Every structure is written in structure tokens, then in C-alpha cells.
Amino acid sequence: MNFTEADNKAINTIRVLAADTVFKSNSGHPGAPMGCAPMAHLLFSRYMNYNPKNPKWANRDRFVLSNGHACALQYILLHLTGYPTSIEDLKQFRQLNSKTPGHPESHITTGIEVTTGPLGQGFGNAVGLAMAEAHMAATFNKPNFELFNNYTFVITGDGCLQEGVASEAASLAGHLKLGKLIALYDDNHISIDGDTDVSFTEDVAKRFEAYGWHVIVVKDGNHDLESIAHAIDEAKKVTDKPSMIKIFTTIGFGSLNQGTEKVHGSPLKADDIVQLKKAFGFNPEEHFAVPKTTYDLYHAKAEKGAKLNHEWDALLEKYAGAHPELAAQLKRRLANKLPEGWAKGLPRFTPADKATATRKLSEAVLNKIADQLPELIIGSADLTGSNLTRWKTAVDFQPNDSGLGNYAGRYVRYGVREHSMSAAMNGITAYGGLIPAGATFLNFISYASGAVRLTALSGQRVIYIMTHDSIGLGEDGPTHQPIETMAMIRATPNLMDFRPADGNETSGAYLYAIETKNRPSVLALTRQDLPQLEGSSIEKTLKGGYVLQEVQGADVTLVATGSEVSLIVDAAKLLKEHGIKARIVSMPSTKLFDEQSHDYRASVLIDGVPSVSVEAMTTFGWDRYAHESIGIDTFGASGPYKDVYKHFGLVPDVVAGKVQKIVAFYKKEGSVPSLVRKYFH
């Protein structure tokens, strides 16, 4: 491959822009962008196919910057290639409400594929993007119609590869033989604490070889463009393994402090930037300068991408003639539209139907809708038989030569990798045309919370199917019984909480989770059987909270979620025997309830009547909906689930006794504070 002075000028342009961008904001990391500028330049000028005029072209190559410390690099590359990121945007780096926030966010900056930042997350996202490509290719490609064949490139660093999520994701990618995943490892031997000799001395290449990756080493990533290019070419030829290219670089290349942690997390000094620009042939008096030759180089590559995009569009139209049903499905999915009438298959229940665990009711939903929604790609973190997430006609997503399934399969065996499962699902949904769902026990969403938080921040439609949702888990004891978990979920912005009480509410939760395009949802499901409730419905579930049973002249409102709704129904019967009238409110989603009108919420949590919440979890957060709360503010206990519920006083007679005392107290007080006014918004 022939390289010219224009390539060197472009690389050095990236370096000085990184110095200017971080200096202007007085915050950020200039060192990594300066060190990995050569590999990034090669990707965007020689290898990747993209079209800034159509950033969502379905078969574009995906680029992920897993190294959160190099975030300025991604904005610079977007600007140089013609995406709508201007020099003025670079000057606003890390400023409030800018198009260039502190770390790349997919919903803010056009051209950013996934929201990264916390180290290792981008690596997990890249695995998901590569999984999605493999699946879409296996599903839609036909002879003479190769619609999907893009690569996923990820630049990662020493910090990312120390994070457990990256290890989990790399192990999964190796098992799945994701040959179109290429990771460029910017190995500069520096972390915030200094040289990686203080904490990170393993042989990363051997580790990735053990994971089943193809590994290539480039000794000089600062100058040797030929070797980097040769490594990328070699990686693209290996189709049965993901590839890692370990590239030795110098952090902050060109700075007076190059090769040290001093260029890691702080802007370069003014005099350092002056000497840097002089050394690279730039005018030190000019800031954010880009030579025309650099723009020309990247714009020429973007024009080639636009041409490829045009050819792909034409191929899709020919495909529509040869495979009309598949083409119609593909266009629908890429447009993020659901099939007409898909929700008609959601199961509905009456009190005459048998008591069933909501995890089992979830399985019934999946068996009804999975074949109606081919975009659903579902998996479990090694708990398929417990989560009940594999529907009857499912085929496993596995390498075609594995004998275990194929890439067209839609059931993913994530293994015991909750964190990378969630990170990969972020990549899968970002690819387009797919709705991922992943399962584990509710308690273990805590293992995945770093990725789940980014799902919510990004506004991505990911469905978390979390079974074994409370002390109803029973014998596994407090290590497995989630006490604080729902409070954490409810406290996370844009993350929807669902704890359904029966079959109708389970169907309603799925309806919301699938139809809502810009939010993830957590479905917390029981292990133990629950009765089908009088008064529940799919439609009422979409209100978040609703009156399950109304009474005139109520003395108290009982509010519960999930398995405790049937408990308060039984408690209300006991209260009636003592002359106390109890209204019953089911609250499958507190966050969804919060979004209803003031008048609606006031009709559910009525003034003048004390409200008591009951949940087999922490009482934290319930003061928003209840004057008094009955729950568990310790860890759980081990034993048969009915014994555990009795141990914590979460049985009808004990709950009724506590409610009697609460009602008596408020009658004595003579007034009841308004709950809805308390949190009016």
C-alpha cells in the first residue's frame, strides 16, 4: 500500500487537533488520540466504508472507540470525514449541551455508533455489533445478494482490557467465531497511575489466543503504516476468528511528556503545543487548523462510501424483486417498525385460569410472539431452564460449523457473562433491525449494571428479563434474593421497571417494552406461582399503577407490586372482617405511573385515605406512593419461600394486623397528607 506525505500530514493533523481540542476545554485526554492517530487514520482513510450523508446506511462498517480516554479522537474523525461535526463543535468539546460531550454518546452526536465512556463497554458493544452483522447476513443474504458483509472495528486500550466486561465479551466473541470483528489494541503501556508495570503485566496476546482470537503484533504503531495496514489486511482474511492487532504506540506522541501518564488525563501546556505544532509543520499561532490536503483525503474516502451506499440501495431493490417477502421484512425492520397486529397474540387471562409463576407466563408470551417478531433475538446468561426464555421453535445463534445452531438462529447462549451480555445487547440494538432481550436472575442485574446504565443513557430498546425476583427465590438464600435491586432500577433514569402481578400484567409489560423504541425495560418475574387477578388487564398495566379493587368509603389504600399484589388482596379480605375497607392498587411500574397525568395519579392515590405499600424488598423509595411501608430492610433468609415470607411477616394476617394499627393511627391524627401533591410534576 502506497503512503504519501498527505497521510503523514493527516495523522499529525489529528494529533494537533487533539491537543487544541482538549486545551480549549481545559479537560480531557490528549495522549491517547495522539498515540493512536496512525491506526485511526488508516481505518478512516483506507479501510472503512461509511457515508456521512447517510449515517445509518445499513451495511456501513462500524467503528467503536472502546478507549474512553481517546474520546476527542472520534469527534475529530467525524469532522474530517464530513459528518455534521464542525470545528466549532470541537471548540465546544465537553461543554454543556454540546454536540461533543465528554464521552461519545450515540444519541447526541451523528456518526457515533454506541455510547461508551466507562472502559471496556465499547469492547462489549463491538461484540454485539459483530453478532448482529453475522445474524443479519445469515438471515437476509442470498446467492448474488450479499446485503450484509460489514466489518466492526474497535480501538481498545490497556485500561479497557483490564476491565472484566471486555474479558467476558472477548471470550464470547471467540466462541462465536466472529470473523468480521477486528480489535486494534493501542498498547501504550500507560494508565492513570503510570506505567502499566504497576498493575498489568499479563501477556494479552496469549490471553486472546486462548479465547480463540487471531492475534497480530505491530511493533511500531507510531510510524510504520505499512505494518499496520498489512495487519488489517491479514485480519480481514481470517473469517473464522475475531482478530486482535496489538499495536505498540507512544501515548502523547510528539509532546514533551510523551510516553508518560502526564499526557493521559490533562491538557498539554501551551508551550508544549507550540513545540508540537512546529515539529509537525503547523503554524503555532493557528488553532484548529486543518490542511486542505487532509480534508481532500478523507472526503475522497467518504465519496467512495457514498457510491457503495448507492450501489447497495440498488442491490436492495433488485433483491426486492427476487425475494419480496424478505425484502419487505428487512425494510420494515430497518425503519424500526413492528409488524401490523403483532400484539394480538399476547395472552390474556381471567381469574379462572390457574395460578402460574410470572416467569412461566413470560415464557407463554415468548412462545406467542417470537415467530411474529423475527427481530427479537433473545438469550440467557446460562439460566435458560430457569429464566424460561427459549421458545419452542427457537434455533440457537451459534457458528454455522458448530453443530449447535447457526448464525440465523435467534437464541443466544451468553454463558455466565451477565455484564458482557448486556453490553453486547447494546451493540445488537445499535446495529439496527433487531430487538435484543437477555435474561438472568434479578439479583444478578447488579453484575451488569455498568452496561445497563448505558442502555438507559443511550435510550436503547433492550429488554432485561429478570426472573427469581424476590425472597420468593427461597432456599438459595440472601446471596440470591434481591432486596435493594428494584430500588436501583427505579432510580436509574430512563430505565423502565416492571414487576407484574399476573399474566395480564406480564403481557402488558412485554407490550410496553417492545413498542417503546427509546427505552430499555426490566421485567422482574417470579419463581413462585401467582393467581390471575380480578380486575387486571394489559391496558391498565400501561398506566404503571391502577386501582385493582375499588371500595366506597375506603379506610386505606393498599399498594403492591408483583407477588405482593395477591398478598394484599388476601389481607384486604381479613381487614374487611374487622370493618376496615381497603382499596387495592397494583403498581407494576412506578416510573410509568409517575408519567401519568396529575389527575390520573390523584384518582389512584386518593387524598384523605392513608396509603400503605407492601413489597418483599426494601421500603426505600416507597414514601413517594405510601404514607407507611411494609417490606424488608435487611438481607433475606434461606428456606422454603413460604417460610421465608412468614419469617418476614409478609403474610396476609400479619400485614392486615399492621394495617389495622396504621389506620387507627391516622384516624387518631385526624388528617392524611396528600401523596400526589407531594410529588407533583
Side-chain angles (χ1 to χ4, degrees), residues 135-428:
H135 176 73
M136 295 293 275
T139 302
F140 291 105
N141 288 2
K142 299 296 177 185
N144 302 317
F145 293 102
E146 193 172 21
L147 291 175
F148 293 96
N149 59 8
N150 69 277
Y151 286 85
T152 298
F153 296 96
V154 53
I155 291 181
T156 190
D158 294 299
C160 296
L161 297 184
Q162 292 174 60
E163 288 286 0
V165 64
S167 297
E168 290 182 22
S171 174
L172 178 63
H175 164 74
L176 292 173
K177 301 182 179 181
L178 299 174
K180 286 193 167 66
L181 172 61
I182 299 175
L184 289 80
Y185 170 22
D186 173 31
D187 187 6
N188 57 41
H189 276 272
I190 294 295
S191 63
I192 290 175
D193 275 1
D195 195 295
T196 52
D197 283 347
V198 303
S199 61
F200 189 53
T201 52
E202 67 185 46
D203 190 327
V204 174
K206 287 183 179 178
R207 169 156 65 102
F208 272 74
E209 286 174 354
Y211 286 147
W213 287 56
H214 173 61
V215 178
I216 312 163
V217 177
V218 175
K219 295 182 178 180
D220 181 5
N222 300 321
H223 308 93
D224 192 353
L225 299 183
E226 287 285 354
S227 291
I228 299 173
H230 178 76
I232 297 172
D233 287 332
E234 181 182 334
K236 291 181 72 175
K237 292 175 183 176
V238 177
T239 59
D240 62 344
K241 293 181 179 182
S243 291
M244 164 171 278
I245 306 172
K246 183 178 180 180
I247 306 174
F248 290 100
T249 66
T250 301
I251 193 170
F253 184 84
S255 164
L256 296 173
N257 292 310
Q258 69 175 31
T260 73
E261 72 276 10
K262 293 179 181 179
V263 292
H264 191 297
S266 301
L268 272 59
K269 303 297 184 185
D271 62 336
D272 196 358
I273 294 177
V274 168
Q275 71 81 29
L276 179 79
K277 290 181 177 179
K278 286 181 178 178
F280 289 150
F282 287 78
N283 182 349
E285 301 300 320
E286 293 181 351
H287 306 286
F288 295 92
V290 179
K292 183 178 182 299
T293 55
T294 297
Y295 279 131
D296 290 345
L297 187 64
Y298 287 112
H299 289 177
K301 179 60 175 170
E303 288 173 7
K304 291 179 181 177
K307 182 181 178 183
L308 289 171
N309 187 170
H310 179 74
E311 293 172 356
W312 189 89
D313 290 342
L315 182 66
L316 179 58
E317 291 311 306
K318 291 181 181 177
Y319 181 83
H323 305 281
E325 291 185 5
L326 279 176
Q329 181 195 139
L330 175 59
K331 290 179 180 181
R332 175 187 65 75
R333 288 167 59 172
L334 293 179
N336 206 11
K337 295 180 179 178
L338 297 170
E340 290 288 336
W342 76 270
K344 292 178 181 177
L346 289 170
R348 292 177 183 266
F349 299 86
T350 71
D353 293 311
K354 68 176 182 179
T356 307
T358 51
R359 63 168 175 161
K360 189 71 176 174
L361 294 163
S362 165
E363 181 184 40
V365 170
L366 295 179
N367 273 297
K368 288 287 188 180
I369 69 172
D371 291 335
Q372 304 301 315
L373 292 170
E375 52 264 64
L376 278 178
I377 182 165
I378 303 172
S380 169
D382 197 51
L383 287 168
T384 297
S386 295
N387 299 146
L388 304 180
T389 38
R390 195 175 190 275
W391 63 102
K392 292 177 182 177
T393 60
V395 174
D396 280 10
F397 176 80
Q398 296 279 3
N400 293 332
D401 61 358
S402 66
L404 301 171
N406 56 64
Y407 286 138
R410 294 191 289 131
Y411 192 77
V412 185
R413 307 283 186 165
Y414 284 105
V416 190
R417 304 184 184 100
E418 295 92 345
H419 200 174
S420 68
M421 173 179 73
S422 300
M425 289 195 296
N426 289 345
I428 289 171

Side-chain angles (χ1 to χ4, degrees), residues 357-360 383-388 439-445 465-477 479-483 485-486 499 523-528 563 616-617 645:
T358 51
R359 63 168 175 161
K360 189 71 176 174
L383 287 168
T384 297
S386 295
N387 299 146
L388 304 180
T440 183
F441 288 0
L442 177 61
N443 195 59
F444 302 135
I445 198 172
I465 303 171
M466 304 285 108
T467 70
H468 297 62
D469 72 332
S470 71
I471 58 169
L473 183 59
E475 291 84 350
D476 280 347
T479 62
H480 284 49
Q481 293 167 1
I483 298 297
T485 313
M486 285 304 295
R499 192 165 180 248
L523 278 61
L525 306 169
T526 67
R527 178 196 187 193
Q528 72 272 30
S563 47
M617 296 180 182
Y645 266 87

